[in-house]
């Protein structure tokens, strides 16, 4: 999946895409390969992600897990950093604050390989948190796709469903969940909530 480029020192890799597109699986694949290469690896994740295997593990939707340190801010990564770590992996990066861009960049500047995974757009189809900035400054960006549950095309969008209906525009941006409240859809099948949609109907 990743390119064969070689850089001296450190660099940043971003694995982006919709939910269920395989981002966590890819992050864990890269972590496993770094471990086989006898690199010292440290995995972090947003503390908001407490699905599947609890707070101290990263877990894919298929329940593949790896021990991870939950952080509630990007500065906590530096506080919890293993000074000997050569590879730093961060899952659910969309949940982190804007400081993650500087934190990841400084880790790469100091010779570390930094791998970040996160959804690049929210349920509205709009850019999510620090993901655009992370993708801009990374040496390598992989955009993964799930399968649209409606038509089988490659899915780049996330449909949030509440009570089986598309969530309104003013639904909170952050709502942790999985297949209970989200499904992968392609651009054509994604129902984009519009601002004030409900009010317009009342007028
Ligand atoms: N609509 C879907 N399209 C593709 N994979 C899906 C879909 N729904 C569930 N999956 C499962 O989710 C897995 C990806 O899980 P994961 O790596 O945790 O995704 P992500 O981190 O991108 O949300 C796939 O390997 C597949 O088994
Ligand atoms: C679209 C969207 C998603 N979320 C949440 C839902 C999940 O907890 C994560 C994404 O997890 P995954 O590893 O990519 O499956 O983000 C959200 O809070 N807001 C949204 O708009
Ligand atoms: Zn579709």
């Amino acid at each position: 999946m990743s390119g064969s480029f070689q850089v001296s020192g450190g660099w940043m890799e971003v694995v982006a895409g919709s939910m269920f597109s395989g981002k966590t699986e890819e992050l864990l694949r890269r972590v496993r390969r770094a471990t086989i290469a006898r690199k010292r690896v440290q995995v972090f994740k947003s503390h908001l992600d407490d699905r599947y295997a609890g707070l101290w593990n990263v877990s894919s939707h298929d329940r593949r897990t790896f021990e991870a340190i939950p952080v509630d801010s990007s500065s906590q990564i530096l506080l919890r950093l293993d000074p000997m770590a050569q590879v730093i992996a961060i899952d659910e990066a969309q949940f982190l604050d804007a400081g993650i861009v500087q934190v990841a960049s400084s880790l790469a500047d100091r010779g570390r390989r930094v791998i970040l995974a996160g959804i690049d757009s929210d349920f509205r189809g709009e850019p999510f948190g620090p993901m655009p900035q992370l993708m801009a400054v990374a040496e390598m960006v992989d955009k993964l796709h799930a399968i649209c549950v409606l038509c089988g095309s490659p899915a780049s969008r996330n449909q949030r469903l509440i009570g089986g209906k598309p969530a309104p525009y003013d639904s909170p941006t952050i709502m942790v969940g999985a297949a209970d409240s989200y499904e992968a859809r392609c651009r054509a099948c994604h129902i984009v909530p519009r601002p004030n949609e409900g009010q317009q109907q009342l007028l």
Side-chain angles (χ1 to χ4, degrees):
M1 179 69 73
S2 56
S4 57
F5 74 89
Q6 292 297 324
V7 290
S8 61
W11 68 89
M12 285 172 62
E13 305 167 22
V14 172
V15 182
S18 70
M19 290 180 66
F20 310 108
S21 60
K23 302 183 303 298
T24 300
E25 285 176 349
E26 176 59 20
L27 179 133
L28 293 181
R29 187 187 72 92
R30 294 182 191 184
V31 164
R32 283 195 304 273
R33 288 169 59 86
T35 304
I36 291 167
R38 290 192 290 278
K39 301 296 184 186
R40 197 164 164 116
V41 181
Q42 209 174 12
V43 182
F44 295 92
K45 70 168 200 179
S46 164
H47 75 297
L48 292 177
D49 179 44
D50 56 0
R51 303 169 301 175
Y52 306 129
L55 205 48
W56 291 86
N57 284 291
V58 166
S59 174
S60 72
H61 288 294
D62 289 357
R63 303 316 196 269
R64 295 194 72 151
T65 64
F66 197 94
E67 191 177 338
I69 300 169
V71 292
D72 62 14
S73 67
S74 58
S75 55
Q76 266 197 350
I77 291 172
L78 298 178
L79 292 173
R80 307 291 301 269
L81 184 69
D82 169 358
M84 302 302 289
Q86 298 160 290
V87 179
I88 308 293
I90 301 163
D91 199 15
E92 309 296 343
Q94 74 279 354
F95 286 147
L96 292 173
D97 55 276
I100 186 59
V101 181
Q102 179 52 39
V103 166
S105 299
S106 68
L107 291 171
D109 290 346
R110 293 177 352 224
R112 291 181 171 92
R113 177 187 181 190
V114 185
I115 309 166
L116 303 107
I119 50 172
D120 46 357
S121 64
D122 64 18
F123 75 99
R124 306 177 189 91
E126 296 176 355
F128 203 138
M131 295 304 292
Q133 287 76 14
L134 288 169
M135 294 165 83
V137 301
E139 277 80 355
M140 204 173 73
V141 178
D142 288 289
K143 182 138 180 177
L144 310 186
H145 298 83
I147 300 298
C148 177
V149 297
L150 297 188
C151 73
S153 301
S156 58
R157 299 294 194 273
N158 309 290
Q159 190 76 61
R160 177 186 290 173
L161 298 168
I162 297 175
K165 294 180 179 166
Y169 188 88
D170 60 359
S171 185
T173 299
I174 293 180
M175 189 176 93
V176 173
D180 56 329
S181 42
Y182 293 97
E183 61 185 30
R185 294 201 185 175
C186 69
R187 178 188 293 268
C189 296
H190 180 229
I191 298 171
V192 182
R194 298 285 174 217
N196 308 321
E197 198 160 33
Q199 288 80 330
Q200 284 162 354
Q201 286 161 357
L202 294 174
L203 292 177

